[in-house]
Every structure is written in structure tokens, then in C-alpha cells.
Amino acid sequence: MKDLINNNLQETMDLIPNSIVKEAMAYSLLGDGKRLRSQLLLSLLKDFEVDVTKGLPFASSLEMIHTYSLVHDDLPAMDDDDYRRHRLTNHKVYGEGMAILAGDALLTYSFQNCLQSSLSDGIVLTCIEILSRNAGIYGMILGQELDIDNQMKTLDDLIVSYEHKTGKLFAAAFEMAVVIAGKKDKQELASTLGHKLGVLFQVQDDLLEYTKSFEEIGKDVKSDVLEEKVTVVTLLGLDEAINYKEKLVQSFYDDLELLGGTGNTVKNLIDEIVKRNY
Amino acid sequence: MKDLINNNLQETMDLIPNSIVKEAMAYSLLGDGKRLRSQLLLSLLKDFEVDVTKGLPFASSLEMIHTYSLVHDDLPAMDDDDYRRHRLTNHKVYGEGMAILAGDALLTYSFQNCLQSSLSDGIVLTCIEILSRNAGIYGMILGQELDIDNQMKTLDDLIVSYEHKTGKLFAAAFEMAVVIAGKKDKQELASTLGHKLGVLFQVQDDLLEYTKSFEEIGKDVKSDVLEEKVTVVTLLGLDEAINYKEKLVQSFYDDLELLGGTGNTVKNLIDEIVKRNY
């Protein structure tokens, strides 16, 4: 499934005439990503026994949006990261101006690319609505603001930021899948599933970060972590955070069953997320 | 017509829940702009005797795309401007990170906003195709790259950069107008008109810049201008540049006649552009 997505991304980029911005787009888009968002979309289609290639253009568009957000997020004015996935970040290779343009170009192209779909105009338009709503000021971008602002104090604040920052693009994947599968009545449930998975993904991140700091530094780093950054672990403590994660997993699987379909392909992917240690 | 657009932009922004990014979006979007691109779209509709309100959502989306490009263009990594239209630029007020997000949010919202249209799914999709193609890597963004690169040596190089940097959003305005007016067979001509107007607009800029430098410094600045930046004036000389502009105006009006409609409203707007001295 990952190969299918990577091939489609490559073919899509091949359509664009050569330019430096194109090179910068390809550098980040065609790198070695987990392709989680696009795989979620195709996996849910598979569990609904719908031809997964119907979802391909939208899956690629999701990856373009995710990639643009990483390129902009790595900029000095944002997180100021020099490396991502063991490679230099976009602006370290192409310069800041070009990285801003490459991100803008990926975001713009994600919408143009939806037009590659041969599904009905109504379905394509609904998918564009889903993508733009979840990626923009109602979705991921609001999550970025909460992140920059760093005003999270309570668990509720943190959950809202996780739902937006990560959950919204997962929600887009699930929402588009149910729309393509002709189950528009399940769109709200699909969105809820995306939010839950976003929180689950970030809680797993918090747990990994805590464990990793503990292992690397070889002492209890709880106090340092507390000073630096509010996470589910700093707010709940390690045991309660693990409990919280288990409950989220159960609640996600309950909702997945309500959504219908076999659920098997999505479950396998979720298991990977839940058990990942990288 | 400008009031119609400004009201629509205000109403559209009012839909969004409050946040800092929203404030930053509104700061740049609702400022005092010429609204040239959106007015071109509505003017052409009027000359085709089509209800101009049919074009409003797309006119507003065009302004959002234009505004995002200015916000990102003003960033320190790009043109590094502190002021625009006598106000502080977005990043001087909200910080660079927030300005990047506000630009991203405007771009994303420009597509979401197209869904406000009550025209047929087919027309809305075609307009989204037109917007994304002209704004992205095939259009305005390629123009930005040529600008950053600054490798323009010949008149042909310069024209290509003007066609992309400015012409492509004008092309989007004209293309969307003919599609909304049910004249899809004129789309290519509409695009050509947009390119010509983009070049005309930039040539006028070059002439104004030359005249202004001359007046302000009180001497012939031709040599300084030559060193600093390649423009139509530095390449052709003042007299030939004026000639070039006159020919462009004529060629634009010839094409406008081929496009059909009365042409009056568009002509009035073009006259403003051609005669502007600011």
C-alpha cells in the first residue's frame, strides 16, 4: 500500500515542469515518510471493500499537505530544526525563501491534484471541502497556533491541541474514505475517529519521549520534563498516562466497529502506531 | 463593486472562530487593498451581463491568495519589508511564525471558501482548478522563483517572469469569469488576456519606478537603475519602454474585443491601471 502511494506521488511530481521550487517540493515530499495519513485513507477503503485506487489522488494530496506543514514547521521562525528523518531540512538545503515557496506550492498543488480523480464532481468537491477544513484555520493550522502559543495548562487544553495538530489530518483521511465509499452518513463518526487517533498518536509520542529521556539520561527526568514542556506524562504521571492511552485505544476500536467494514487493515496500521518505539 | 468585495471578505472572515491566526489573516486581508483581481473578475461578468454576485466567492478567494502571497513575500527570508500600504507588515505585528501560518491559512481558506458558491459542482470544480493552477507551481509561485533567482537577462526572461508573478492571478480572474458566464470555449483567450495585463501592470511599475527615481533624485539615474535591477526601462530605454507599453495596451484591447461582451467595465478598470501614478 505504501508502494502504491509512493509511486503515485512520484508520478504526480513527474507531471510538473522542472524548476528549483519543484526540486525543493520533491526533496521533502518524496523522502522516506511513514505515509500514515494516506495509508489510513486507503486502509479504510480496503476494509469497506472499495477499490483503493479510487482514493489515491486524495491520499497523495493528504501527504502533500502533511509535508508542507513539516517544511514550514521546520523553519527558523517556527521550530527551527536542521534535521528531519536524518536528512537536512528543506530550508537547510534550499534556503528559507525557497522552503517557504516549496511549502506554499505543495499546499496549492494538493488541491490541484484532487482534480486527477475520476470520481463524480460531487465527491471530489466534498473531498476538497474535507481537506481544506481539516488543514486550515478550523483544523491543523489552529493546532499549530496552540503549539506556538504554548498556553496549554490542563489536560483538556492539551487534548484540544492534539486533536487539531495531528487529529485533523487523520480525520480528513477517515472522512474522505467514508465519502468515497458512499457512506456519507458516517462522516461525523469518521471525524471523531480521526481526533481520537490524533490524541492517541501524540500520547504515544509523550510516552516515548519520557521513556527515551529516562533511558538516555539514566535518571528520573520528571522534573526537567515538567519545566520544559507540558505533556500527558507531566500532567498525569507515567502510570495514569499509560492507562489513558489504553482507554483511548479501546474507545477508538469501539468507534471503528460502529463505522462498519471489516476494520482489519486499519487495525493493523493502528497496532503499528500504538506499538511504535521510534 | 469594491464595496461588494470588501463586504463579502468581511462576512467570510466573520464565519471563522476567533484565534490569533484569524486576527493575523484579517489584518492583511481586510486592509485597504485595490481589489484589482477580484474587480477584474466581477467586471468581466458585468460586461457579459451576468449577475456579478455569482462571482463573489471566487473573487474573495482570489483576494485571499493575493494577500497570502504578499504576507509571505514580505517575510525577512523573502523581500524583508517592514511596511506595506503604509502599515506594518504582518510579521512585524504578529511575528514571523504567525505570519507564515496566517499566509498558509489564507491560502487554505481560499479553496474552502469556493464551496460557498451555489453554482453547479462542475463550475465550482473548474474554478478550483483555475485558482490552483494559476496560483501554484505552474503559475504565481514559479514567478516568485524567477524573482528570487533574479536570473532575468533578456526582455523575454523578464516578460515570462511578469506573466507568472502578476499575470497568472489576472488570468485566473478572467478564466473564472468566462467559465461562470458559460463561455468555456473562451478560456484560453481569457488566460492570454490575463498574461498581457500582468505584463502591462509590471511595465507600468517599471516606468513609474524610473520616473519616481528621476524626480526624487533630480538627476538621470539610468546608470544606478541599470546596476540595481533589470526592468523594461533598463533593457529598452525610456522611449522604447513607453512604446512597448502602448503596443501592449492596444493588443490587450484587441483581445478583449474578441472575448465578446461590452468590455466597458473592464476597460474602465484597465484605464485606471494604465494611468495610475502610485
Side-chain angles (χ1 to χ4, degrees):
Chain A
M1 197 169 279
K2 213 169 143 176
D3 286 347
L4 196 66
I5 294 158
N6 283 331
N7 289 341
N8 187 262
L9 285 172
Q10 181 70 59
E11 282 167 25
T12 306
M13 286 303 296
D14 287 345
L15 297 174
I16 301 174
N18 288 336
S19 70
I20 302 171
V21 180
K22 176 191 169 173
E23 213 183 284
M25 290 165 81
Y27 176 80
S28 292
L29 183 65
L30 306 179
D32 179 35
K34 291 194 287 289
R35 309 298 182 213
L36 200 52
R37 290 144 194 86
S38 47
Q39 285 197 75
L40 282 171
L41 196 170
L42 301 192
S43 297
L44 191 52
L45 284 180
K46 197 169 173 203
D47 289 344
F48 283 139
E49 290 169 348
V50 172
D51 174 7
V52 295
T53 62
K54 285 190 179 178
L56 259 187
F58 308 105
S60 288
S61 289
L62 256 180
E63 291 300 332
M64 290 173 202
I65 292 177
H66 175 55
T67 303
Y68 114 77
S69 77
L70 300 180
V71 170
H72 281 187
D73 213 38
D74 287 337
L75 286 165
M78 309 276 279
D79 285 355
D80 195 12
D81 283 317
D82 290 354
Y83 289 91
R84 176 172 290 276
R85 297 175 193 145
H86 309 291
R87 292 165 83 214
L88 285 170
T89 45
N90 203 290
H91 65 275
K92 294 305 279 183
V93 178
Y94 296 96
E96 280 182 53
M98 216 41 101
I100 294 169
L101 282 186
D104 294 343
L106 282 166
L107 175 57
T108 313
Y109 197 51
S110 74
F111 294 105
Q112 190 178 351
N113 183 57
C114 291
L115 279 288
Q116 297 290 329
S117 167
S118 51
L119 298 177
S120 76
D121 287 354
I123 288 182
V124 176
L125 261 192
T126 305
C127 287
I128 288 173
E129 192 277 329
I130 292 169
L131 273 176
S132 55
R133 171 170 42 81
N134 284 293
I137 185 73
Y138 294 87
M140 181 179 69
I141 288 181
L142 190 64
Q144 300 275 66
E145 168 180 333
L146 298 172
D147 223 29
I148 288 186
D149 235 25
N150 206 13
Q151 293 296 315
M152 273 93 68
K153 299 273 176 256
T154 68
L155 185 64
D156 281 350
D157 293 343
L158 201 63
I159 299 309
V160 169
S161 95
Y162 289 172
E163 279 176 354
H164 283 80
K165 204 174 73 165
T166 311
K168 289 294 182 181
L169 287 197
F170 291 161
F174 289 140
E175 281 188 57
M176 291 196 290
V178 297
V179 166
I180 294 168
K183 299 172 192 293
K184 216 173 173 311
D185 58 308
K186 303 279 190 186
Q187 207 180 329
E188 208 176 313
L189 183 61
S191 171
T192 306
L193 264 165
H195 293 166
K196 284 187 182 170
L197 186 58
V199 178
L200 184 55
F201 186 90
Q202 289 295 336
V203 169
Q204 176 71 357
D205 248 17
D206 288 350
L207 286 167
L208 284 172
E209 197 174 293
Y210 180 88
T211 321
K212 212 176 147 198
S213 315
F214 191 83
E215 281 170 1
E216 279 175 3
I217 307 174
K219 60 167 183 160
D220 190 335
V221 289
K222 211 182 281 179
S223 58
D224 302 336
V225 174
L226 257 173
E227 275 169 50
E228 275 174 28
K229 197 176 144 193
V230 175
T231 75
V232 169
V233 182
T234 66
L235 287 173
L236 296 181
L238 185 59
D239 291 347
E240 268 310 301
I242 291 171
N243 263 341
Y244 187 78
K245 178 187 147 186
E246 296 305 328
K247 276 185 199 155
L248 265 175
V249 173
Q250 196 48 56
S251 159
F252 178 86
Y253 284 144
D254 290 347
D255 281 357
L256 188 62
E257 211 164 302
L258 290 175
L259 204 62
T262 68
N264 291 334
T265 325
V266 173
K267 267 183 194 155
N268 282 336
L269 201 58
I270 306 299
D271 278 348
E272 267 183 52
I273 298 175
V274 175
K275 289 173 187 149
R276 82 200 153 91
N277 55 4
Y278 48 90
Chain B
M1 199 169 277
K2 212 169 145 179
D3 286 347
L4 199 65
I5 295 158
N6 282 331
N7 289 341
N8 187 262
L9 285 172
Q10 181 70 59
E11 283 166 25
T12 306
M13 286 304 296
D14 287 345
L15 297 175
I16 302 175
N18 288 335
S19 70
I20 302 171
V21 179
K22 176 192 169 174
E23 214 184 282
M25 291 164 81
Y27 176 80
S28 292
L29 183 67
L30 305 180
D32 180 34
K34 292 194 285 290
R35 309 297 182 212
L36 200 52
R37 290 144 193 85
S38 47
Q39 284 197 76
L40 283 170
L41 196 171
L42 301 191
S43 297
L44 191 52
L45 285 180
K46 198 171 172 202
D47 288 345
F48 283 140
E49 289 167 349
V50 173
D51 175 7
V52 295
T53 61
K54 285 190 180 178
L56 259 187
F58 308 105
S60 287
S61 289
L62 256 179
E63 290 301 331
M64 290 174 201
I65 291 176
H66 176 55
T67 303
Y68 114 76
S69 78
L70 300 181
V71 170
H72 281 186
D73 213 39
D74 287 337
L75 286 165
M78 311 274 280
D79 285 354
D80 195 12
D81 283 316
D82 290 353
Y83 289 91
R84 176 173 290 277
R85 297 176 195 142
H86 308 293
R87 293 164 83 213
L88 285 170
T89 44
N90 201 290
H91 65 275
K92 296 304 279 185
V93 178
Y94 295 95
E96 280 182 54
M98 217 42 100
I100 294 170
L101 283 185
D104 294 342
L106 282 166
L107 175 56
T108 314
Y109 198 51
S110 74
F111 294 105
Q112 190 177 351
N113 183 57
C114 291
L115 278 288
Q116 297 290 329
S117 167
S118 52
L119 297 177
S120 76
D121 288 353
I123 289 182
V124 176
L125 262 191
T126 305
C127 286
I128 288 174
E129 192 279 326
I130 291 169
L131 274 176
S132 55
R133 171 170 41 79
N134 284 293
I137 185 73
Y138 293 87
M140 180 180 68
I141 287 182
L142 190 65
Q144 299 276 65
E145 168 178 333
L146 297 172
D147 222 28
I148 287 187
D149 236 25
N150 206 12
Q151 293 295 315
M152 274 92 69
K153 298 271 175 259
T154 68
L155 186 64
D156 282 350
D157 294 343
L158 201 62
I159 299 309
V160 169
S161 95
Y162 289 170
E163 280 175 353
H164 283 81
K165 204 174 70 164
T166 311
K168 289 292 182 181
L169 287 197
F170 291 161
F174 288 140
E175 282 188 56
M176 291 197 290
V178 297
V179 166
I180 293 168
K183 298 172 191 296
K184 216 174 174 315
D185 57 309
K186 302 280 191 186
Q187 206 179 328
E188 207 176 314
L189 183 60
S191 170
T192 306
L193 265 165
H195 293 166
K196 285 188 182 168
L197 186 57
V199 178
L200 183 54
F201 186 90
Q202 289 294 337
V203 170
Q204 176 71 358
D205 248 15
D206 288 350
L207 286 167
L208 284 172
E209 197 173 294
Y210 180 87
T211 321
K212 213 175 145 199
S213 314
F214 190 84
E215 281 170 1
E216 278 175 1
I217 305 172
K219 59 165 186 164
D220 190 336
V221 290
K222 210 183 281 181
S223 58
D224 302 335
V225 173
L226 258 174
E227 275 169 46
E228 273 173 28
K229 199 176 141 193
V230 175
T231 75
V232 169
V233 182
T234 65
L235 286 172
L236 296 181
L238 186 60
D239 292 347
E240 269 309 303
I242 291 171
N243 263 342
Y244 187 78
K245 179 187 147 186
E246 297 305 329
K247 276 185 201 155
L248 265 174
V249 174
Q250 197 47 56
S251 158
F252 179 86
Y253 284 144
D254 290 346
D255 282 357
L256 187 62
E257 211 164 302
L258 290 176
L259 203 63
T262 68
N264 292 335
T265 324
V266 172
K267 266 183 195 154
N268 282 337
L269 201 58
I270 306 299
D271 278 348
E272 269 183 51
I273 298 175
V274 174
K275 287 172 189 151
R276 82 200 152 91
N277 56 3
Y278 47 90

